[in-house]
Amino acid sequence: MEFEWVTGASDEHCIPCATTRPTEHVFRTRTAEDVPVFGTRCTVCGSVTVHGAEMEYDADDPFIDGYLQSEGGIDAIVANLYRVEAPAAARFLDVGANYGFGVRWARDMLGWRALGVEPSYSGRRGARELGVEILDQYVTAETMLDERFDVILASEVIEHLLDPSPFVTVLRDHLAPGGTLVLTTPAAEVITPATAVEGMQAVGTGGHVFLFSASAFADYLRRHGFASVDVVRNGMSLSAVAAIEPDRPLSARARGPQPAEVATFLEALATDPASPPVLATAMAVRHYRALVNLGQDAPAVERALVERVRTHTGLDLAAPAALTAALPDLEAVPLLIAPAAFAAGMVRVVHRRDWAQAVEYFALAEAAVAEKRRRSHSYDGDSRLILAQSRAHRLLALLHTDPAAAVAEWRRMLAADELVDPAGWTVRLFVEAHALGQPRLFDAGLDDIARAIGELGAGDTEQHAVAAVDGAHLLARAAIGHGDRWCATQWISIAEAVMQVRADLLSADWAEQASRMLAAARADLEPLRPEAIPSLVPMPGHEHESILWASAETEQVPGGVTVIMAFYRGERYVREALESIAAQTRPPLEVIVVDDGSPTGESGTDAGALIESLTLPFTPRIVRQGNAGQSAARNAGIRAARGEYIAFLDQDDAWRPDHLERLVAVIEQDASLAWVFGDFDLVDESGSTLVQAYLPTTGVLLDRRTIGDLVRTDIMALPSASILRRSALVAVRGFDRRLSGYEDDDLVIRLFRDGWKLAPALDVRARYRTHGANASGSVAFLRSRLVFLQLLLELYPPTGLEPSPAELAAERLLRSTTAEYFAALVAHDDVLARTVAWAIDRMLPLSDGVSTYHRTGLRLMHRPRLMRAAMRMASALPGPLRRRLLPPMALQAREQLRRRRRHTRSFTLDDRPRWLR
C-alpha cells in the first residue's frame, strides 16, 4: 500500500466532531484487498477520516500463527498496563483483547483479576491456548457486565468505529469509582508526506475509519464525561488515560514493563506444558530475542531454539546460508525465521565476533522479510525494523570479512535508498573502518561522510551527536594525514561545536573523553604548515553549522548595534580598536569579543585577561571557541548578538567617533539594505597612512547592480568599515567558514542572490591596517581564492550563453594569482611558486583557446628554476622582444578567457580536490 498525496477541499463528516466540517483532501490509496480509500483532514479538529475503509475481517489460523511469530509486540501491548497505578487484585477489563496477551500479563505479572472481551476467532483461540477468560461478544450500548472495573483498556479499537460515542459511554459506565480508562489509537499527526511510512501503518490495511489528532482525542473524552484526561503521542500512536473524577493526577506515559520482566513472561509461555507447539515455538523465538536485547549471549537458549524450530518446522536455523537459498522454494516460510535470524546475527556481532556467520544470519533475516512481503504483501513495523537493522548490521559484519565488498554494498544501498538512518550508518561504518586500521577504505566516499555528519549534527539524539563528533574527528584525522591543516582545523571546530550545543545529550564521561581526543588532534596540527592545495578530504560548509544557527539568539533589540570583534593573537592593536568603540557618538548596544582559541602565555594573551586590564565604558562579552578562523568566529558573534544591526571591527583596525552614527543613519532608511559599507584609510603596522580615502582614490566601482558588477572587480566592502542587518546575516547563515580570504565577497554575493541590497556611505572612513599577519598575505588566501571560485560555480553554473560569474571573477583573480607566482619566484620560494602554478592551472580554461605557446609557458611555471633561467635569458633580449616574452604567459589569461569557447569552465575536474567539484 502506498499513499498518493492529493490536494483539494470539501465538506465531509468528521467522526470526532460528530458533524459535517470543512476538510482538506490528504491522500488516496488502496487496501490489501484492492479497495479504494480516500483520506480527508478536518480543518477544525485536525483528525483524519478514512473514507471507504469500513470492513470486517476475522482472523484464521495461519493469520494468528503469523501474529504469534512476528507481529504481536507483547512489550508494547503490556506497556498500556503501566500507564496507570493500580493495586494487586485490581479488577481489569481488556476490551479488544485480541489473542489475550494483555489479559495473561495482568493476571500473572500484576496479580490483577483480569477479563478480556474479544468477539473474534483470535479471542476464542487465545482464551483456550493462554488459559485466560475472554468473553466472545461485542461491547455495545446495551452491554452490561456483572461488575465494574478499576482499569479498563481498549487498545487500537476506537478507530474501527463509525460512531465511537456509545462505545466510550459504555466504557465510562463500567468504571468503578476511582477507576481509570486507557485508550490507544493511531495518530492523525503522522499522515504527512514526511512520515508516510508511519502514516500507512496508522491507516492500516483496512478497517481504520478515522484517526484522532491529539487535541481532538482529549476533547472527545472530556465531552463524554471524563473530567481528567491526559494524552501523549508515542511515535505513530496516541495514548490516553482518563478518569471521571476531576483533578486526578494522570499521566499517559508508560512506566514499564522492564525488559527482564518481558523475558521472564516469554520464557514462562515457551516452557509452559499447556502451550501448544505453535505458541511455545513462537514464544521461544521471542524469548531468545528478548535476551539478546538485554545484552546476553544465551548459547543454551539458542541451541534449544534451533532444535525446537527444526522439530516444529523442519528448518535448520544452524545453517543460515543454506536456509536462505531454500526460502523461495518453500511452500510456506514461517514468520519466526526473520526475528530468530536477526537475533542470532546480533549475538555474533556483539558477543562472538563471528563476522562471517553474522553476515549469513543477517542475509537470512533480509530474505525472510522479503519472502513475507512477496507472499502476503504485509509489511508490519517489526518487519521494517528487522529489515533495516539486518541490512545495516550486515554491512558492519561484511566490513570485517570483505571490506571492499562492504564499501560496494554500502554504495549500492545508498543509491537504492535501502538504509534507514543512512547518515548514522555511513559514519558508523567510517568509524569502524578506522578502528580496523583501514582509514583509507572510504576515501572515495568522503563527500557522503561529510554530508552525513551535517545531518547527524542537526539531530536530537545522543547516538547522532556521538556519531557526528566521531565522524568529524576522523575527518580531521584524515586531513592531518594529508597535511591539510585548514581542513583539519574546521572539522575539529565542528566536533567541538556539536559537543557544546548537544551537551545535554552527552554523558559527562564520554564528553571528557571526546574533549581529550579533540585536544590531541589540535596538538597534532601544530607541526603542519598552511597548505594552499586542498586535500581529498571535504571541508565543512553551511550545512554543518545548521545546529549552531538553530541555537542562535532570538531576542532582537530594534535599532541596537552589536559590535563583533574576532580575537586571535591580537594583543598588539586591540586596545586601540576597543578604545575607538568607546569613543563612538552612538554607543553600541553590546560588544562581543570572540576569542578564536587565541593561545596564552608566551605566544599570546588571553582575550578575557587583556580586556579586563583595559578601562572601558562597557564590558565586552567574551565568547570562546577553539580556533576555527575569522569566518567561524564572526558567525559565533552573529549568533550571540541581540542587536538589529551588526558592526564588525577587526582587532587591528579602528573607527572614527561618528562611525556607527553615520552608518546606522543610512541603513535605517531602507529595510531592503543588508550591508552599508564606508570608505577606509589604508595604514601600515605603525599606523602611518598609505592610502587615504581608498575607495575613491583607487576608483573602486561603487554602483553595482548585477552579479557581473560584483565579481568583475574587487568589492572592497570591508566588514570593519560596514554595518549589516543581522536578520539578513542569519538568513544566509553568515560567512562561509571554508574561506579565509574572499569571505566578504562571498557573503555579499549570497546576500545579493537572496534579494538584499548594499550601499556605500563614503562620508564614513575607518582605519584598515595592512601587515604581514593579514590573511591576504598568507597561503590560506590563495586556497580561499580557489574555494571562492568554486562556490561561484555552484551558485551560478555556466549556461553556455554568456560568461558565468565564476568565469568573470577568474579574469581578475588570475592576475592576482600570477603576481603572487612571480613574487614567490623572485623570493626563491619554489615550493610556494609550484603551489601557485597549480592554482593557476585550476583557473585557466584548458580549451582550444589556449595556444601551444601558452601551454608550454604554463608547464614551465611548474618548474621555478627553469622559469627564472628563462627570465634571465629574456632580459638580455632587445626591448620589443623582451616585452613580448618577459610578461608571464599566465598574464595572457584575460585574452585567453575572451577567446575560449563559452561552455568551458574555469576548473579542470581532476582527482583533486574532490570537494572542488
Side-chain angles (χ1 to χ4, degrees), residues 640-856:
R642 295 185 299 115
E644 182 180 0
Y645 307 117
I646 301 292
F648 297 103
L649 181 61
D650 289 352
Q651 62 193 15
D652 51 358
D653 297 337
W655 291 336
R656 294 184 176 186
D658 59 355
H659 181 86
L660 291 180
E661 184 177 359
R662 289 179 178 273
L663 288 175
V664 170
V666 177
I667 199 169
E668 283 184 331
Q669 294 175 10
D670 187 348
S672 66
L673 280 174
W675 191 320
V676 176
F677 62 96
D679 197 4
F680 60 91
D681 295 334
L682 189 66
V683 303
D684 63 15
E685 294 185 14
S686 65
S688 299
T689 301
L690 301 175
V691 181
Q692 192 171 16
Y694 189 94
L695 298 184
T697 299
T698 58
V700 171
L701 178 65
L702 299 178
D703 186 16
R704 300 173 188 259
R705 303 184 181 185
T706 68
I707 183 63
D709 293 339
L710 290 173
V711 301
R712 278 192 181 93
T713 60
D714 292 324
I715 297 174
M716 300 308 294
L718 298 184
S720 284
S722 305
I723 194 165
L724 297 92
R725 195 176 301 274
R726 182 178 183 268
S727 59
L729 292 173
V730 172
V732 300
R733 294 185 176 179
F735 295 90
D736 194 313
R737 67 185 298 132
R738 289 169 287 193
L739 297 171
S740 182
Y742 296 95
E743 68 271 19
D744 314 337
D745 296 52
D746 170 75
L747 179 57
V748 168
I749 290 167
R750 286 187 286 114
L751 288 168
F752 175 84
R753 182 180 173 86
D754 273 17
W756 293 97
K757 297 190 300 187
L758 73 159
L762 296 187
D763 60 338
V764 179
R765 257 198 352 252
R767 286 170 59 81
Y768 174 68
R769 197 179 309 271
T770 178
H771 48 74
N774 272 0
S776 58
S778 69
V779 172
F781 205 69
L782 175 60
R783 178 187 185 125
S784 288
R785 194 172 296 150
L786 291 170
V787 179
F788 173 61
L789 282 174
Q790 179 59 32
L791 293 174
L792 275 179
L793 277 174
E794 293 174 1
L795 284 174
Y796 298 95
T799 63
L801 300 177
E802 57 184 15
S804 72
E807 293 164 341
L808 293 174
E811 188 171 349
R812 69 176 168 98
L813 299 181
L814 273 168
R815 291 194 297 270
S816 302
T817 308
T818 306
E820 290 176 2
Y821 173 82
F822 282 95
L825 204 66
V826 171
H828 289 262
D829 189 343
D830 290 357
V831 173
L832 179 57
R834 282 191 291 269
T835 297
V836 178
W838 179 90
I840 291 173
D841 272 349
R842 306 282 76 74
M843 297 181 195
L844 278 175
L846 301 181
S847 70
D848 294 339
V850 179
S851 67
T852 302
Y853 173 76
H854 290 136
R855 291 176 188 273
T856 302

Side-chain angles (χ1 to χ4, degrees), residues 376-389:
S376 68
H377 308 289
S378 178
Y379 198 24
D380 60 280
D382 192 50
S383 295
R384 289 181 191 276
L385 174 66
I386 290 172
L387 180 62
Q389 292 297 315

